[in-house]
Amino acid sequence: MRCPSLRLSTTVLGLVGSTTLLLAAGPEPIDHAVNARIRAEARERSQIMQTLHVLTDVYGPRLTGSPNHHAAAEWAVARMKEWGFDTGTLEPWDFGHPGWLNERMTAHVVAPVKDALVGEVLAWTNGTDGPVRAAAVHLVLPDRPTAAELTTFLEGKASVVAGRIVLVGAAASVPVTFTKPAMRRDYDDLAAMFDPVSPRAPQFGAGGPAGRPGATPDPARLTPRQISEQVDAFLIASKARIRVNDAGREHGQIRAFNNPSFDGSKALPTLILRNEDFGRIARLLAGGRAVELDIDIVNRWYPEGRTSFNAVAELRGTDKAGEVVMLGGHLDSWHAATGATDNAIGVAVMMEAARIIKALGLKPRRTIRLALWSGEEQGLLGSKAYVAKHFGTAEAPTAEFATFGGYLNVDSGTGRVRGATVFGPSEAARILREIVAPFEDLGIIGATATKSRRPGGTDSTSFNAAGLPGIGLLQDPIEYQSHTWHTNLDTYERIVEEDVKKSAAMIASAAYHLAMRDELLPRFARADMPEPAGPPAVTPTTTAPATPARQ
């Protein structure tokens, strides 16, 4: 790695998004002896790979509301108590939907050839109630139709799909990739991104903390979700047996999400096939050959999953114990794999960072609180519920709002931490830059401030949306976007051990130093607080569907 040469400013030029000018500040006090001990503990006595093994191999996948997630949360709390944490509990919040788990799935093409198929089940759909052997048909939908155009297309096709297994949508053409995605972030790009005077806007990507809005849809055209819902209703009314979607990704990658209604009566049993299998079946059908499939899906519903849990543990502070520095990541995952890089890694890194502080016998002045969220994959639901309950918003704060000292978040894969963005004035970024500066040799570059209160991307933005200093951590990509993010390849084998150990050391130091400061991490004054990007972060309200029959 290139030797860092970024010069870190010890003065503040001004507030981000504020008219108030801060006075020059002295250098942030750094305990280099503690940092040396943190490095040694992280390097020589790490527990992080064992934590990852248990979270992935034993309890993965950890879909919100599932017994797997609940068991993983209970284990994490018990483990932290074994390490000597002062408190540990499961804090409930209202998910409003039943839990769900896929227990078994087999799929084969039995005519005109015989072969096993590779697929994943769409979450919160029913099973097949036994093996289904039926002819396959292919519905190639019109591109971005209006509601009327889709209705017209489906007219007269009820008899075509009745009793059949239906492939929905054209097979995606996935080009061969000639340029490999970067594994590490370029130093010069990072230096520009975290420049103390004129930082370039961070490019965090999906799963990262930037939380940007999507493109504005054409109101005359159906959204993909609306198309899918209309097709689901048609297939159910027409008595089709199973729906099959194309994963549309290279090298057997599958991303399987959820039936958005969370109601098994509103969607058929649905299978997402790898692009290679979907394409083969589509070509056989297009060539005029009759195709017969055999599919067996066993899913189970858990009504008790309507109540989900955030796992919360603490290292109690000393003279400033009533103030809190938080760190965490989301424990829930999607169900196509064991959820290693998204986000057992964030959980394991944060557990390890707090364990290091405890194992070294350090006595932070502020309480260090670790939170492992559920419901992140369904829209940051667990962290939004927690923030609403404990802190409120800048516009309607609770008593705890004033005593909050920052939340550190990891949620972008196995790559080591390279920088941070904090919601707050530039002084907050200056402090973070100086806290992480001793770890430049491990690759971290600096920190920048943001004034965006737009929630999205990851759990640190739930704090930003409330007007609190959420700290999102930028990481090296290491196959995250290209291979593991939300796919069936997201397993223990994709973890880079040295990277996660180094990240844990950096975060342990950052949490400790934030907890030791004389003052809380600076935030926007009331007069300078940016307006919320939308409705303030609140506990989500949902309309609970009728409980589907167990499958």
Side-chain angles (χ1 to χ4, degrees):
M1 175 172 291
R2 176 176 173 178
C3 180
S5 60
L6 187 65
R7 295 293 181 262
L8 300 179
S9 173
T10 59
T11 61
V12 181
L13 301 179
L15 286 174
V16 176
S18 170
T19 58
T20 303
L21 187 68
L22 293 176
L23 299 175
E28 189 70 11
I30 303 296
D31 192 329
H32 295 287
V34 164
N35 280 346
R37 295 177 64 202
I38 286 173
R39 286 175 182 253
E41 180 69 24
R43 182 177 59 249
E44 298 167 11
R45 290 172 290 279
S46 175
Q47 300 293 308
I48 201 165
M49 297 307 289
Q50 175 63 20
T51 300
L52 279 163
H53 156 63
V54 175
L55 292 177
T56 58
D57 298 333
V58 179
Y59 295 119
R62 304 170 305 280
L63 194 66
T64 298
S66 72
N68 291 26
H69 173 268
H70 195 172
E74 289 183 322
W75 175 84
V77 167
R79 185 63 169 151
M80 289 185 285
K81 287 181 177 178
E82 290 175 8
W83 288 339
F85 284 43
D86 297 302
T87 65
T89 188
L90 297 185
E91 185 167 320
W93 61 275
D94 182 17
F95 181 39
H97 304 296
W100 179 94
L101 187 70
N102 170 241
E103 294 186 351
R104 185 171 67 254
M105 187 282 294
T106 59
H108 295 80
V109 55
V110 293
V113 296
K114 299 184 185 299
D115 203 357
L117 303 174
V118 178
E120 298 289 343
V121 177
L122 189 72
W124 285 282
T125 54
N126 288 329
T128 55
D129 196 22
V132 172
R133 183 165 180 162
V137 296
H138 192 187
L139 285 182
V140 181
L141 304 175
D143 184 45
R144 299 178 65 241
T146 64
E149 288 170 345
L150 184 56
T151 297
T152 299
F153 170 80
L154 295 174
E155 285 177 356
K157 291 184 171 61
S159 62
V160 175
V161 302
R164 307 293 181 87
I165 296 172
V166 184
L167 279 68
V168 175
S173 177
V174 181
V176 173
T177 301
F178 289 94
T179 304
K180 293 182 178 180
M183 299 285 279
R184 300 286 185 194
R185 295 185 182 272
D186 180 78
Y187 175 84
D188 290 333
D189 284 347
L190 285 171
M193 186 182 300
F194 293 106
D195 184 278
V197 177
S198 182
R200 179 166 56 80
Q203 304 298 312
F204 286 94
R212 295 179 297 277
T216 302
D218 181 351
R221 301 287 170 181
L222 294 174
T223 65
R225 175 171 173 170
Q226 290 170 330
I227 293 170
S228 185
E229 288 173 345
Q230 189 167 332
V231 170
D232 278 335
F234 164 75
L235 294 176
I236 291 170
S238 303
K239 302 188 184 309
R241 304 292 299 279
I242 298 170
R243 173 173 172 165
V244 178
N245 297 337
D246 181 8
R249 296 184 62 81
E250 65 181 0
H251 305 314
Q253 294 178 30
I254 300 170
R255 287 178 177 166
F257 298 115
N258 65 283
N259 163 21
S261 72
F262 297 87
D263 184 345
S265 70
K266 294 183 178 180
L268 289 177
T270 301
L271 182 65
I272 297 91
L273 282 185
R274 66 177 179 177
N275 177 251
E276 296 85 348
D277 286 343
F278 190 99
R280 181 186 189 185
I281 296 169
R283 291 188 295 272
L284 288 170
L285 291 169
R289 293 175 172 83
V291 176
E292 191 172 6
L293 305 178
D294 189 295
I295 298 174
D296 185 16
I297 300 171
V298 180
N299 298 332
R300 186 170 295 277
W301 297 80
Y302 294 88
E304 62 273 22
R306 294 175 185 276
T307 298
S308 189
F309 300 90
N310 296 318
V312 182
E314 286 186 348
L315 300 176
R316 190 70 177 168
T318 55
D319 63 306
K320 292 182 177 290
E323 298 176 352
V324 63
V325 171
M326 291 188 66
L327 63 164
H330 70 90
L331 180 58
D332 67 303
S333 75
W334 285 111
H335 57 290
T338 57
T341 70
D342 190 20
N343 184 37
I345 189 62
V347 170
V349 164
M350 293 310 196
M351 287 177 64
E352 177 72 359
R355 184 200 68 81
I356 289 169
I357 293 171
K358 180 64 179 180
L360 293 178
L362 302 178
K363 301 295 183 183
R365 300 175 69 189
R366 291 181 180 86
T367 294
I368 294 177
R369 183 181 300 162
L370 179 63
L372 311 179
W373 314 112
S374 61
E376 192 273 353
E377 298 293 6
Q378 289 71 46
L380 317 183
L381 301 183
S383 59
K384 285 181 178 180
Y386 186 90
V387 169
K389 175 182 176 181
H390 288 270
F391 304 114
T393 67
E395 293 72 28
T398 69
E400 293 179 72
F401 190 93
T403 60
F404 182 75
Y407 166 76
L408 293 146
N409 188 80
V410 164
D411 184 21
S412 293
T414 188
R416 76 185 64 169
V417 172
R418 304 299 303 278
T421 183
V422 56
F423 177 79
S426 57
E427 171 71 350
R430 191 273 302 174
I431 290 166
L432 284 174
R433 277 196 298 273
E434 296 190 10
I435 285 174
V436 302
F439 292 87
E440 285 185 320
D441 63 305
L442 300 188
I444 195 164
I445 300 301
T448 190
T450 178
K451 60 181 179 179
S452 173
R453 292 181 67 180
R454 183 178 298 279
T458 193
D459 293 296
S460 57
T461 66
S462 295
F463 291 82
N464 297 3
L468 292 166
I471 303 167
L473 298 172
L474 178 74
Q475 297 166 252
D476 277 330
I478 316 293
E479 300 182 335
Y480 187 62
Q481 290 293 329
S482 59
H483 291 83
T484 65
W485 179 56
H486 294 168
T487 78
N488 56 322
L489 307 184
D490 187 9
T491 62
Y492 178 95
E493 286 75 15
R494 304 278 64 80
I495 300 301
V496 179
E497 182 173 354
E498 285 304 306
D499 274 32
V500 297
K501 287 181 176 179
K502 290 173 180 176
S503 291
M506 289 185 271
I507 293 167
S509 173
Y512 174 74
H513 282 89
L514 287 174
M516 293 298 291
R517 302 186 77 249
D518 288 337
E519 304 296 334
L520 289 167
L521 191 66
R523 359 173 160 168
F524 290 114
R526 180 181 295 274
D528 302 316
M529 178 64 68
E531 292 294 321
V538 296
T539 304
T541 57
T542 55
T543 301
T547 303
R550 289 181 179 267
Q551 295 292 311

